[in-house]
Amino acid sequence: MPRLNVLAAAAIGLSWMMGGPAASALDDPAARAVVTRLDNGLVVVTLEDSSTPVVSFQMWVEVGSRDEAGYTCLAHLFEPMMFNGSKHIAPEQHANLISARGGEVNAYTANDQTVYFDDATRETLPLVIDLEYERLAYLVRPALGRRDRLQDG
């Protein structure tokens, strides 16, 4: 085991043996989250952490793989479509704008939700919000032929 890992493990063990902080004294960041429900039903959860120069903007959609009954892979289909551009943003331009500023854009689909996220520097947050709005408001729909194939099964 590398020396640093041994020292870290020893410090943690010593802290525990010396009566380290009780579980109730632990700082739970989730306890500081502010939840706001907008008139349109959108729920915004804000958790400020001024100790880091980055932000993580996450958009959680309550549709996941469990909702695909009869429409296999529909949630998984929309996930990459969200990166194919919009009315005013070319395909991959969203990701390119964020990565050019040192950030990252990605998504994943789980059983109960699909999550789109942008991790970027603080000063990039207004751009991230504008890009996510653009993506939702003006998503480019698949060509008619593709949509027909999806409906036929």
Side-chain angles (χ1 to χ4, degrees), residues 6-76:
V6 171
L7 290 175
I12 292 169
L14 183 58
S15 171
W16 179 76
M17 287 179 6
M18 298 297 287
S24 62
L26 293 176
D27 180 29
D28 180 8
R32 294 190 309 273
V34 177
V35 179
T36 307
R37 181 176 292 276
L38 304 180
D39 290 340
N40 64 4
L42 180 69
V43 176
V44 179
V45 179
T46 308
L47 177 59
E48 185 175 350
D49 181 355
S50 59
S51 69
T52 179
V54 297
V55 295
S56 182
F57 182 98
Q58 300 179 10
M59 180 173 52
W60 290 55
V61 182
E62 292 182 353
V63 175
S65 57
R66 75 171 178 174
D67 300 299
E68 294 177 339
Y71 298 98
T72 304
C73 299
L74 195 55
H76 289 89

Side-chain angles (χ1 to χ4, degrees), residues 17-151:
M17 287 179 6
M18 298 297 287
S24 62
L26 293 176
D27 180 29
D28 180 8
R32 294 190 309 273
V34 177
V35 179
T36 307
R37 181 176 292 276
L38 304 180
D39 290 340
N40 64 4
L42 180 69
V43 176
V44 179
V45 179
T46 308
L47 177 59
E48 185 175 350
D49 181 355
S50 59
S51 69
T52 179
V54 297
V55 295
S56 182
F57 182 98
Q58 300 179 10
M59 180 173 52
W60 290 55
V61 182
E62 292 182 353
V63 175
S65 57
R66 75 171 178 174
D67 300 299
E68 294 177 339
Y71 298 98
T72 304
C73 299
L74 195 55
H76 289 89
L77 170 69
F78 271 93
E79 184 183 319
M81 279 179 51
M82 295 288 277
F83 294 93
N84 285 341
S86 61
K87 184 176 181 181
H88 305 108
I89 302 292
E92 298 300 320
Q93 187 179 5
H94 178 140
N96 291 340
L97 286 167
I98 300 303
S99 65
R101 290 159 176 80
E104 176 184 14
V105 176
N106 211 333
Y108 63 89
T109 299
N111 190 43
D112 295 334
Q113 71 271 337
T114 302
V115 179
Y116 302 90
F117 64 88
D118 301 71
D119 294 335
T121 58
R122 268 188 240 169
E123 58 274 0
T124 307
L125 183 58
L127 173 63
V128 167
I129 293 170
D130 288 346
L131 289 170
E132 291 299 345
Y133 167 78
E134 169 71 23
R135 176 164 37 192
L136 288 177
Y138 302 106
L139 178 66
V140 174
R141 289 157 185 85
L144 182 60
R146 175 73 176 146
R147 190 172 25 207
D148 287 346
R149 285 194 299 274
L150 288 173
Q151 291 173 348

